[in-house]
């Protein structure tokens, strides 16, 4: 057993697409990182690596959590800086997928690798044991495969592959680092070509390609059928190929063809002529602006297989097939697909059948158990459910019979019979509460017992596993308060997208009361992201039952539909307000309640923790910033976005930002002269522009997160860390903050300065008249109203200001038009 591993510094060898992005994600996790590349032939020897670092800034989605963090990646080259490798605890090789090149590099760097370092290759499918042979024998026990998926920041999967001599204890320690520090989902894979995820995911694509040709379906039709309808990414099959790169996909398929000659499906590991045609043309997908698809202007065009010309992408799924695909019950869905005679349905069933067949036959060769296959495909390819989960959900014995019948009838891509364990008549599936089936041990294997997984109170859930979310304190249609026996109350929303209704507000107020009386802390945590897509303000105003549409104001659509347009008058949102709202005092009372909730969260007698993952917009953001602490996953997207529908934050958001600006000004004041405006400017821009932080790190830079708030890399550790934060606060005899009654504001001088800047933007046609009106009201609220600069006000003064301005904006026709447009189109209206 190796000594306890502490990874303080990491070197990444190779600054290509993957290497540079792996280095970026290490930096996201605050790991000191060196990025190596070949020296430039002229000029700065670090020219090549610096070019790669500049390229990181242009990638979308961004591989780095904040552009400012790129400067923390240390550039290096193999000519000048090999000595620096001695300081590194982990070295990740990420150069081109050629065994000879990798072997040459290993021999070059091996003398500089310290005896306690781990050396790992990021190969996507080459043999780990073959690569290990090029590494010195005395270091081979510290060599392994560590396969990140592209893009490394966003794809949860990392496959960990040992060579024959890799120390078991070292793998455990490396897994702990990958899971907790880098936030990854680790799957242990065997040293077989393309490991697990690419082996199954790429076969699924090959099967899709095969059956698409057999049923004469175009690329866009296949993508229309194999995306969200099947619980897979919107990019589906062929769009995904464009994103990955046709050249990269070709390499992975070639690895299968060259190294899996005994595979019963080997004859299908060939790329069709149209694929080679595109590669030869340099049409490699997204990176060359053209591949299977091409964007021309605003239109998406797709390659026509017969003419090899691009045509407008306009595929429409058959209505009958669409009805089948909308079925949520997998048993009914697969049965209907199999029984339908429509080519689109037969294509889908055939693809499912052959993927199931392939997974069953190869499970014992590529993975330890069925759970590893399903999690690898989910985390590496973005499927909502893995292949074994779908099979089990559809009825194991029923689907097994169908597959066996198709094999016997010669319909399957390979004529190999299903393994004996599959057809066991007592089998109801491969996932059970006790674990997942392993053909090697002929038993169900429980999840890993590594201590790092004790931090995941609710890990990724698999079909067949039992999940129990604690003991209920109280539950309504909109919220549930529960606990796990440790004295900490947890409040979870049940509304669509966790939007905030009047009932949610009541639930939070009740939860705070319960927490103060019976618990030591209150955590706002959702079973699934997002944290909250915001307040459903009109629904709150109306107090009526709404439809389950999504989006920040999605539930309002039900109210809009109640407005009957007449031939003479037309109607509109004005009628909605008059007919449905009834009276202004009722509306204002709900806004006041929203403010009350935020203040209760801030001044509760127990710590309140917002455990944020995903969207925290509008009201969701306002709740978060009022809690004692925010514990946010890196992939949290936080912002006050009310201006998008012609409003301003009125749940305490403007008040809190004004207060933070005053606190910052106080901290840096000279001679007791407080100038709030320089600190207020960024908060005004955030709100007036409706800017959303693209990571928790950027949310900190924008002022939504404080220095005391925590950023978590692994979303499955979020609740654990929120609890630990609550315990730490209580360990110091927690008391809520004192009410701040002397908040310095920028006053009318600040308002005038902001108005002048907006006036220039309006005259330059960068913003509309109504944008200017909204901005003026945001400025008035943040600056404390018509008072002298430096005046001292209290929180209630600012709350009253934001509530008044909110109500006045709500009364305008243009704001009403913006809300209506958002409901109908899901996009903001600039009027």
């Amino acid at each position: 057993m190796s000594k306890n591993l502490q990874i303080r510094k990491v070197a990444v060898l190779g600054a290509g697409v993957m290497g540079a992005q792996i280095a970026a994600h290490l930096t996201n996790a605050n790991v000191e990182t060196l990025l190596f590349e070949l020296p430039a032939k002229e000029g700065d020897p670090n020219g090549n690596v610096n070019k790669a670092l500049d390229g990181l800034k242009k990638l979308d989605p961004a591989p780095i959590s904040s552009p400012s963090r790129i400067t923390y990646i240390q550039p290096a080259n193999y000519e000048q800086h090999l000595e620096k490798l001695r300081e590194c605890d982990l070295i990740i090789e990420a150069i081109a997928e050629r065994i000879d090149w990798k072997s040459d590099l290993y021999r070059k760097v091996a003398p500089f690798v310290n005896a306690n370092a781990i050396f790992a290759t990021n190969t996507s499918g080459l043999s780990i044991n073959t690569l290990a042979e090029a590494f010195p024998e005395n270091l081979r026990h510290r060599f392994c495969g560590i396969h990140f998926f592209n893009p490394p920041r966003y794809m949860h999967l990392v496959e960990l592959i040992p060579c024959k001599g890799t120390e078991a204890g070292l793998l455990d320690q490396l897994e702990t680092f990958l899971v907790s520090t880098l936030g990854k989902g680790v799957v242990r894979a065997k040293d077989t070509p393309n490991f697990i995820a690419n082996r199954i995911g790429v076969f699924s694509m090959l099967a899709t390609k095969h059956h698409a040709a057999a049923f004469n379906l175009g690329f866009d039709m296949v993508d229309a059928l194999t995306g969200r309808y099947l619980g897979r990414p919107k990019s589906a099959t062929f769009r995904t190929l464009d994103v990955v790169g046709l050249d990269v996909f070709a390499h992975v398929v070639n690895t299968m063809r060259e190294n899996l000659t005994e595979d019963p499906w080997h004859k299908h590991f060939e790329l069709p002529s149209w694929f080679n045609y595109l590669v030869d043309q340099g049409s490699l997908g997204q990176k060359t602006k053209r591949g299977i698809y091409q964007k021309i202007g605003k239109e998406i065009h797709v390659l026509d297989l017969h003419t090899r010309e691009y045509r407008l992408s306009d595929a429409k799924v058959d209505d009958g097939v669409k009805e089948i695909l909308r079925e949520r019950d997998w048993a009914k869905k697969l049965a209907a697909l199999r029984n339908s005679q429509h080519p689109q349905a037969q294509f889908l069933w055939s693809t499912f059948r052959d993927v199931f067949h392939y997974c069953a036959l190869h499970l014992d060769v590529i993975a330890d158990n069925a759970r590893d296959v399903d999690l690898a495909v989910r985390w590496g390819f973005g499927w909502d459910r893995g292949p074994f989960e779908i099979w089990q959900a559809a009825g194991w014995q029923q689907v097994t019979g169908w597959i066996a019948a198709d094999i016997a009838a010669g319909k399957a891509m390979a004529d190999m019979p299903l393994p004996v364990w599959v057809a066991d008549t007592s089998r109801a599936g491969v996932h059970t509460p006790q674990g997942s089936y392993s053909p090697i041990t002929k038993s169900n294997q429980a999840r890993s017992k590594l201590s790092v997984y004790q931090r995941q109170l609710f890990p990724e859930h698999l079909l067949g596993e039992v999940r129990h979310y604690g003991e209920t304190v109280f539950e309504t249609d909109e919220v549930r308060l529960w606990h796990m026996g440790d004295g900490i109350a947890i409040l979870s929303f049940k509304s669509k997208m966790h939007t905030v209704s009047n009932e949610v507000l009541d639930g939070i107020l009740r939860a705070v009361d319960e927490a103060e009386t019976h618990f030591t802390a209150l955590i706002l945590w959702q079973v699934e992201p997002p944290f909250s897509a915001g307040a459903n303000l009109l629904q709150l105003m109306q107090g009526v039952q709404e439809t389950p549409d999504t989006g920040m104001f999605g539930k309002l659509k039900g109210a809009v539909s109640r407005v009957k347009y007449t031939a003479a008058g037309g109607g509109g949102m004005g009628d909605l307000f008059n007919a449905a709202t009834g009276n202004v005092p009722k509306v204002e009372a709900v806004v006041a309640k929203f403010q009350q909730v935020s203040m209760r969260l801030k001044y509760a007698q127990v710590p309140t923790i917002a455990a944020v993952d995903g969207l925290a917009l509008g009201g969701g953001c306002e709740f978060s910033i009022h809690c004692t602490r925010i514990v946010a996953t890196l992939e949290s997207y936080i912002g006050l976005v009310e201006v998008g529908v012609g409003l301003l934050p009125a749940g305490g958001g403007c008040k809190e930002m004004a207060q933070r600006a005053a606190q910052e000004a106080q901290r840096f004041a000279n001679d007791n002269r407080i100038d709030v405006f320089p600190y207020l400017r960024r908060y005004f821009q955030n709100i007036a522009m409706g800017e959303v932080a693209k990571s928790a790190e950027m949310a900190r830079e924008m002022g939504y997160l404080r220095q005391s708030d925590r950023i978590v890399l692994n979303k499955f550790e979020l609740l654990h860390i929120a609890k630990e934060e609550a315990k730490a606060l209580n360990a110091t005899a927690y008391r809520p903050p004192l009410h701040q009654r002397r908040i310095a504001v920028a006053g009318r001088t600040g308002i005038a300065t902001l108005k002048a800047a907006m006036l220039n933007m309006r005259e330059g046609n960068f913003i509309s008249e109504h944008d200017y009106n909204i901005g003026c009201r945001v400025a008035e609220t943040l600056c404390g109203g018509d008072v002298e600069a430096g005046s001292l006000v209290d929180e209630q003064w600012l709350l009253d200001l934001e509530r008044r301005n909110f109500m006045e904006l709500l009364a305008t026709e243009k704001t009403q038009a913006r809300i209506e447009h958002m409901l109908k189109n899901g996009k903001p209206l600039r009027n």
Side-chain angles (χ1 to χ4, degrees):
M1 177 76 176
S2 59
K3 70 175 188 177
N4 190 43
L5 178 72
Q6 287 190 332
I7 297 179
R8 294 155 294 192
K9 184 181 287 190
V10 177
V12 179
L13 309 183
V17 173
M18 282 300 290
Q21 290 192 76
I22 291 169
H25 190 62
L26 286 160
T27 305
N28 291 339
N30 286 330
V31 178
E32 190 173 351
T33 304
L34 293 160
L35 180 60
F36 276 80
E37 189 47 273
L38 293 168
K41 293 180 180 177
E42 52 186 49
D44 181 357
N46 280 337
N48 290 333
V49 70
N50 286 331
K51 183 178 179 182
L53 292 174
D54 287 340
L56 288 175
K57 302 173 187 175
K58 301 170 186 174
L59 291 178
D60 185 25
I64 199 90
S65 59
S66 167
S68 63
R69 298 185 72 82
I70 291 178
T71 59
Y72 291 108
I73 302 173
Q74 302 172 44
N77 65 77
Y78 302 119
E79 199 170 83
Q80 297 176 302
H81 304 120
L82 287 178
E83 282 289 338
K84 292 187 176 184
L85 289 176
R86 300 187 193 278
E87 308 164 6
C88 296
D89 307 298
L90 171 62
I91 300 168
I92 301 172
E93 169 270 304
I95 69 168
E97 290 285 81
R98 282 186 49 173
I99 288 179
D100 55 340
W101 289 2
K102 289 178 186 287
S103 299
D104 287 345
L105 179 63
Y106 298 172
R107 286 186 277 269
K108 183 172 186 174
V109 302
F112 303 93
V113 176
N114 81 63
N116 296 315
I118 299 173
F119 195 99
T121 173
N122 182 56
T123 179
S124 61
L126 298 177
S127 169
I128 303 301
N129 283 300
T130 301
L131 290 171
E133 291 172 6
F135 213 62
E137 193 170 350
N138 65 315
L139 293 176
R140 222 168 276 172
H141 64 293
R142 305 188 71 81
F143 183 88
C144 64
I146 178 174
H147 180 210
F148 289 84
F149 277 67
N150 191 19
R153 170 182 163 184
Y154 302 96
M155 298 306 291
H156 191 59
L157 179 64
V158 170
E159 290 173 317
L160 196 55
I161 314 102
C163 68
K164 291 175 183 175
T166 308
E167 279 185 31
L170 178 140
L171 283 176
D172 290 346
Q173 293 168 17
L174 183 54
E175 182 168 350
T176 296
F177 170 78
L178 291 168
V179 169
S180 206
T181 303
L182 297 191
K184 294 303 172 189
V186 171
V187 169
R188 301 276 185 108
K190 298 181 180 181
D191 186 22
T192 57
N194 292 343
F195 313 129
I196 299 175
N198 276 346
R199 181 77 172 267
I200 301 302
V202 170
F203 176 80
S204 175
M205 288 181 164
L206 291 172
T208 301
K209 167 196 67 84
H210 171 81
H211 291 300
F215 289 100
N216 196 29
L217 302 180
F219 299 123
D220 51 344
M221 179 58 73
V222 170
D223 282 349
L225 290 164
T226 60
R228 292 308 301 157
Y229 280 130
L230 302 185
R232 300 178 190 176
K234 289 181 181 177
S235 55
T237 302
F238 293 111
R239 284 185 188 275
T240 296
L241 286 184
D242 270 358
V243 172
V244 169
L246 302 191
D247 53 338
V248 174
F249 183 75
H251 168 78
V252 176
V253 174
N254 287 337
T255 298
M256 294 176 72
R257 184 172 63 253
E258 292 169 7
N259 296 287
L260 293 170
T261 55
E262 301 303 312
D263 192 303
W265 284 265
H266 182 264
K267 67 180 180 181
H268 297 289
F269 301 161
E270 294 286 346
L271 294 170
S273 59
W274 62 260
F275 193 101
N276 295 321
Y277 167 78
L278 287 174
V279 173
D280 292 343
Q281 295 284 318
S283 301
L284 304 179
Q286 189 170 279
K287 58 190 172 187
T288 60
K289 310 294 185 187
R290 185 172 65 181
I292 296 169
Y293 290 91
Q294 180 181 19
K295 189 173 183 180
I296 301 176
K298 293 185 177 181
E299 294 179 337
I300 303 296
H301 290 239
V302 63
L303 185 72
D304 187 293
L305 265 176
H306 303 293
T307 66
R308 293 195 175 176
E309 299 290 335
Y310 288 90
R311 59 168 175 78
L312 187 65
S313 176
D314 57 358
K316 296 288 188 295
V317 177
D318 174 77
D319 288 342
V321 174
K322 190 182 296 184
E323 200 62 35
I324 295 172
L325 292 175
R326 285 175 174 156
E327 171 60 59
R328 293 181 177 275
D329 185 327
W330 275 106
K332 294 177 181 177
K333 181 183 288 189
L334 284 191
L337 289 174
R338 186 172 188 268
N339 293 330
S340 171
Q341 296 305 305
H342 197 283
Q344 295 174 9
Q346 283 297 302
F347 153 75
L348 287 169
W349 160 247
S350 300
T351 305
F352 273 117
R353 175 199 64 219
D354 289 322
V355 171
F356 293 160
H357 189 189
Y358 193 84
C359 290
L361 201 68
H362 291 297
L363 173 58
D364 62 337
V365 177
I366 66 173
D368 289 332
N369 55 66
R371 177 178 52 250
D372 289 346
V373 169
D374 278 347
L375 290 180
V377 174
R378 284 169 66 167
W379 292 342
F381 280 78
W383 292 20
D384 291 350
R385 292 286 180 194
F388 285 121
E389 286 183 289
I390 296 171
W391 186 345
Q392 183 168 330
W396 187 269
Q397 292 297 328
Q398 178 71 80
V399 174
T400 298
W402 291 340
I403 297 171
D406 280 8
I407 294 171
K411 294 180 180 179
M413 289 170 67
D415 59 4
M416 292 290 291
L418 286 167
V420 173
W421 66 265
V422 172
D424 180 349
T425 54
S426 65
R427 179 170 302 285
V430 290
H431 302 304
T432 71
Q434 292 74 40
S436 296
Y437 187 71
S438 167
I440 299 294
T441 64
K442 296 182 172 58
S443 64
N444 293 322
Q445 288 190 356
R447 285 180 178 260
S448 171
K449 301 298 184 186
L450 276 181
S451 60
V452 69
Y453 292 110
Q454 294 174 14
R455 298 164 60 88
Q456 297 187 13
L457 303 181
F458 299 99
E460 184 84 273
H461 182 251
L462 280 170
L463 184 78
E465 293 180 330
V466 176
R467 173 157 291 187
H468 177 61
Y469 290 103
E471 300 301 321
T472 300
V473 179
F474 74 81
E475 185 168 9
T476 71
D477 289 342
E478 298 286 309
V479 300
R480 176 176 179 252
L481 186 71
W482 54 285
H483 69 92
M484 298 177 70
D486 54 6
I488 297 174
I490 303 165
L491 184 70
S492 300
F493 300 175
K494 295 164 62 180
S495 52
K496 185 80 170 184
M497 295 288 284
H498 304 134
T499 51
V500 182
S501 65
N502 197 26
E503 292 74 24
V504 169
L505 293 177
D506 289 336
I508 298 174
L509 291 173
R510 182 178 171 186
V512 175
D513 289 343
E514 286 279 353
E516 288 179 328
T517 306
H518 301 295
F519 296 92
T520 61
L522 174 65
I523 296 174
L524 305 186
W525 177 82
Q526 314 298 8
V527 172
E528 297 284 346
F531 178 75
S532 174
N536 215 319
L537 296 175
L538 284 184
Q539 192 269 339
L540 299 180
M541 297 168 198
Q542 295 156 359
V544 295
Q545 182 76 31
E546 303 295 354
T547 60
D549 293 300
T550 61
M552 183 173 59
F553 292 90
K555 290 187 179 179
L556 310 180
K557 213 175 271 185
V560 173
S561 68
R562 290 178 174 84
V563 179
K564 302 299 183 182
Y565 287 82
T566 64
M573 289 298 285
D575 295 314
L576 173 63
F577 278 83
N578 295 333
T581 311
N583 58 77
V584 171
K586 176 183 174 184
V587 178
E588 190 163 1
V590 177
V591 179
K593 185 193 287 188
F594 207 110
Q595 294 178 334
Q596 179 193 0
V597 168
S598 291
M599 296 296 277
R600 282 291 279 135
L601 289 169
K602 183 172 183 176
Y603 292 108
Q605 294 300 308
V606 296
T608 57
I609 313 291
V612 176
D613 181 30
L615 298 176
L617 302 179
C621 175
E622 289 176 297
F623 288 161
S624 303
I625 61 179
H626 281 87
C627 285
T628 313
R629 287 284 187 276
I630 297 175
V631 178
T633 64
L634 184 69
E635 301 313 323
S636 294
Y637 309 103
I638 303 173
L640 296 169
V641 296
E642 286 84 350
V643 296
V645 286
L647 297 167
L648 54 70
C654 290
K655 179 271 303 176
E656 192 66 17
M657 296 297 98
Q659 195 169 355
R660 290 188 184 185
Q663 290 168 346
E664 292 166 19
Q666 179 74 51
R667 232 177 0 252
F668 299 106
N670 294 319
D671 301 326
N672 292 322
R673 288 177 297 181
I674 300 175
D675 183 5
V676 178
F677 187 78
Y679 304 95
L680 189 72
R681 193 194 310 264
R682 69 163 173 166
Y683 294 116
F684 171 79
Q685 181 174 328
N686 290 344
I687 294 173
M689 301 297 289
E691 293 187 356
V692 176
K694 294 182 179 178
S695 70
E697 192 64 49
M698 290 191 73
R700 199 194 299 280
E701 292 177 8
M702 293 168 69
Y704 293 128
L705 266 62
R706 299 151 294 195
Q707 286 305 309
S708 57
D709 294 326
R710 308 295 179 210
I711 297 176
V712 179
L713 271 288
N714 196 313
K715 63 182 179 181
F716 297 111
E717 295 185 355
L718 180 63
L719 183 56
H720 165 78
I721 294 171
K723 287 190 172 194
E724 292 301 307
E725 194 67 22
K727 292 174 186 175
L729 287 163
N730 280 322
T732 54
Y734 176 76
R735 297 289 299 174
L738 297 172
H739 286 267
Q740 195 170 353
R741 307 186 191 283
R742 294 169 61 82
I743 303 166
V745 294
R748 63 177 70 96
T749 304
I751 297 171
T753 304
L754 293 173
K755 279 186 175 181
M758 288 188 292
L759 192 61
N760 288 335
M761 293 183 71
R762 188 186 69 185
E763 291 178 353
N765 292 320
F766 294 107
I767 61 174
S768 69
E769 182 67 37
H770 194 50
D771 289 329
Y772 175 76
N773 182 23
I774 298 165
C776 288
R777 291 178 182 280
V778 173
E780 180 190 359
T781 305
L782 287 175
C783 293
D786 188 17
V787 296
E788 291 291 334
S791 294
L792 301 176
V793 302
D794 63 11
E795 287 180 281
Q796 192 57 50
W797 174 274
L798 294 169
L799 289 172
D800 291 344
L801 266 178
E802 70 176 23
R803 190 171 66 254
R804 174 175 62 79
N805 278 300
F806 176 92
M807 295 302 300
E808 290 177 2
L809 281 171
L810 195 55
T812 64
E813 289 184 7
K814 288 191 174 181
T815 283
Q816 294 167 19
R818 287 191 178 194
I819 294 171
E820 185 173 14
H821 188 272
M822 175 68 81
L823 295 176
K824 289 183 176 180
N825 303 289
K827 297 177 182 178
L829 171 68
R830 310 312 308 200
N831 59 355

